[in-house]
């Protein structure tokens, strides 16, 4: 009998924590993920507006520079599964708290150093090489961050409210995006940056400020996390002698089916998000004929408005997942996502799209994103037993990032160039169907006890 089956057939009482401790954990998990996602999105925004011009050789075709920037952007997603293995090992061996501190430091230091890098014009090919290295380190840090934050929330949740508790670290994604893009909007406005201005203050030094100031946010995050205690679920595993020496080997030996299911359950979520953020930004600000020709400043404003739909729908998804169940909620949202894929050619077609239709596209996409993303920090940890939960949920989450996020902007840009924007919607539909199949194959997990080994 597999360990996952044991979780179903031999339930035990979950450890309880008091309300004050639970509030402290909620704040710590949300603040930490906000900082981590801020670091990640600062890079994503710069990958469209800054790096193609400052870190890659000039080329007559601007699409080539953008694709090169997206390739470097995707390096972090390649690094994330490695980060989930490294930090997952220590998270399942020494605990959630210490591992979360290490992941935050890794991400924060890499982001800060990006703000100090020389450009291609200053040191040549060394510049994109260093940028790629820092992006890889960002991926390592984020690879260990999400699982730890999700486990903090789920392993201390009150009975029947695990999806609601788990949605708090998920709010770090839209909050981090809001702060990152809001910061860029302020800089672009104050420094009078305009499209095609490669010599002004923003492109010379202003773009570095969001990266450098991440150091302050990391210090705040470390302060919050050092005040945490280890989760009672992990303490119980330690006291009962159920820790494993090699969590990676154990998770592949006992939980390979949840690994595969978790990866494909998550893949459409990643694809959707990076289509409605990173790719659509590049498409929206590209000149008419290649894209929509919307000024960069105006497009940032549209994104910042739409992100509130993401913030609103995450708590909605948490409530639905607790009341209706994880599986039923994810099936319904996947069906909506498939329908959304049919709207790309209508809302984003170059000859008919307006800022109004783009705002509708962004807002609807972000709302759906919150509905699919909100329950994931409950669903993925619930698939795995305690002694490999950090490793297993992290690997599923981050391998999905390669299949869904790392290639999404690159594939979408190539599809638009060859077949038009409607092909990007078909791409989303295909990926959503793959996730829907995985969701249909999963068991309902809302009643599983997190304290089981």
């Amino acid at each position: 009998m597999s360990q996952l089956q044991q979780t179903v057939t031999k339930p035990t009482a979950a450890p309880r924590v008091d309300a004050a401790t639970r509030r402290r954990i909620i704040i710590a998990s949300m603040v930490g993920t906000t900082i981590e996602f801020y670091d990640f999105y600062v890079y994503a925004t710069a990958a469209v507006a800054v790096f193609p011009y400052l870190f890659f050789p000039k080329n007559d075709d601007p699409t080539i520079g953008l694709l090169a920037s997206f390739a470097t952007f995707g390096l972090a997603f390649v690094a994330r599964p490695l980060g989930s293995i490294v930090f997952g090992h220590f998270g399942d061996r020494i605990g959630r708290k210490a591992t979360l501190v290490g992941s935050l430091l890794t991400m924060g230091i890499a982001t800060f150093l990006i703000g100090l890098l020389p450009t291609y014009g200053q040191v040549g090919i060394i510049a994109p090489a260093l940028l790629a290295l820092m992006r890889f380190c960002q991926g390592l840090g984020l690879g260990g961050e999400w699982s730890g934050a999700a486990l903090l929330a789920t392993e201390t949740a009150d009975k029947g409210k695990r999806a609601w508790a788990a949605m708090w670290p998920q709010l770090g994604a839209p909050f981090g995006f809001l702060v990152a893009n809001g910061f860029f909007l302020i800089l672009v406005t104050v420094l009078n940056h305009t499209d095609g201005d490669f010599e002004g203050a923003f492109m010379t030094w202003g773009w570095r400020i969001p990266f450098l100031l991440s150091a302050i946010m990391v210090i705040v995050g470390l302060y919050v996390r050092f005040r945490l205690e280890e989760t009672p679920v992990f303490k119980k595993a330690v006291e009962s002698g159920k820790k494993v020496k090699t969590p990676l080997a154990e998770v592949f030996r006992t939980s390979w089916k949840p690994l595969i299911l978790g990866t494909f359950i998550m893949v459409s979520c990643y694809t959707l998000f990076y289509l409605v953020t990173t790719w659509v930004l590049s498409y929206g600000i590209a000149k008419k004929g290649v894209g929509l020709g919307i000024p960069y400043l105006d497009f940032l404003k549209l994104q910042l408005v739409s992100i509130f739909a993401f913030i609103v729908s995450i708590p909605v998804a948490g409530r639905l997942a607790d009341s209706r169940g994880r599986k039923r909620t994810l099936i319904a949202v996947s069906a909506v996502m498939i329908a959304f894929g049919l709207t790309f050619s209508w809302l984003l077609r170059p000859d008919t799209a307006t800022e109004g239709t783009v705002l509708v596209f962004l807002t609807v996409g972000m709302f759906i994103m919150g509905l699919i993303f909100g329950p994931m920090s409950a669903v993925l940890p619930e698939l795995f037993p305690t002694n490999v939960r950090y490793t297993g949920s992290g690997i599923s989450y981050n391998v999905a990032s390669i299949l869904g996020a790392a290639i999404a902007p690159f594939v979408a840009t190539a599809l638009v160039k060859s077949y038009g924007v409607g092909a990007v919607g078909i791409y989303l539909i295909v990926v959503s169907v793959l996730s829907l199949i995985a969701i249909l194959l999963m068991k309902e997990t809302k009643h599983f006890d997190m304290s089981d080994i």
Side-chain angles (χ1 to χ4, degrees), residues 110-156:
T111 304
F112 177 79
L113 290 177
I114 289 174
L116 300 177
L117 292 181
T119 64
Y120 182 86
Q122 294 170 323
V123 296
I125 197 67
I126 296 175
L130 290 174
L131 182 65
L133 177 62
M134 292 303 102
R135 182 60 174 171
F136 188 84
C137 292
Q138 278 192 318
L140 286 177
L142 192 57
E145 164 64 28
W146 179 87
S147 295
L151 265 56
L152 274 182
T154 57
E155 292 184 345
T156 56

Side-chain angles (χ1 to χ4, degrees), residues 127-309:
L130 290 174
L131 182 65
L133 177 62
M134 292 303 102
R135 182 60 174 171
F136 188 84
C137 292
Q138 278 192 318
L140 286 177
L142 192 57
E145 164 64 28
W146 179 87
S147 295
L151 265 56
L152 274 182
T154 57
E155 292 184 345
T156 56
D158 204 1
K159 185 177 181 180
K161 298 180 179 179
R162 197 158 58 223
W164 176 257
M167 73 88 189
W168 291 102
Q170 300 298 78
L171 283 171
F175 286 161
F177 185 89
L178 184 65
V179 175
N181 274 27
F183 208 158
F184 267 100
L185 176 61
I186 292 171
L187 284 172
V188 166
T189 303
V190 171
L191 299 179
N192 297 313
H193 175 66
T194 58
D195 295 336
D197 176 17
F198 304 132
E199 306 295 334
F202 176 77
M203 295 296 282
T204 303
W205 54 267
W207 67 269
R208 300 179 182 274
I209 296 176
F211 292 94
L212 297 175
L213 289 186
S214 68
I216 297 175
M217 300 179 69
V218 169
I219 292 172
V220 173
L222 289 174
Y223 170 75
V224 171
R225 286 191 169 171
F226 275 125
R227 299 181 64 210
L228 291 178
E229 296 181 2
E230 190 52 73
T231 71
V233 169
F234 182 78
K235 287 181 179 178
K236 180 180 177 181
V238 174
E239 292 168 358
S240 58
K242 298 298 183 181
K243 287 197 304 179
V244 293
K245 292 183 178 180
T246 54
L248 179 62
E250 184 73 8
V251 77
F252 276 104
R253 186 180 69 84
T254 64
S255 304
W256 59 272
K257 288 183 180 178
L259 277 176
I260 296 172
L261 279 180
T263 297
F264 281 96
I265 288 168
M266 187 72 199
V267 72
S268 66
C269 178
Y270 267 121
T271 302
L272 173 65
F273 184 71
Y274 282 91
L275 288 181
V276 298
T277 55
T278 304
W279 166 75
V280 80
L281 173 61
S282 67
Y283 176 73
I285 68 175
K287 64 183 181 180
K288 281 284 188 179
V290 178
L292 301 181
I294 299 174
Y296 178 55
L297 183 61
D298 293 343
F299 203 95
L300 279 181
K301 292 176 181 177
L302 296 177
Q303 283 193 312
L304 287 174
V305 171
S306 69
I307 202 69
F308 288 98

Side-chain angles (χ1 to χ4, degrees), residues 44 51 182 275 349 375:
F51 296 152
L275 288 181
R349 197 169 69 189

Side-chain angles (χ1 to χ4, degrees), residues 317-338:
R319 290 294 190 196
L320 286 173
D322 275 334
S323 62
R324 309 293 291 178
R326 284 57 158 146
K327 188 170 181 175
R328 292 177 65 182
T329 300
L330 294 179
I331 289 172
V333 179
S334 295
V336 173
M337 195 185 306
I338 291 170

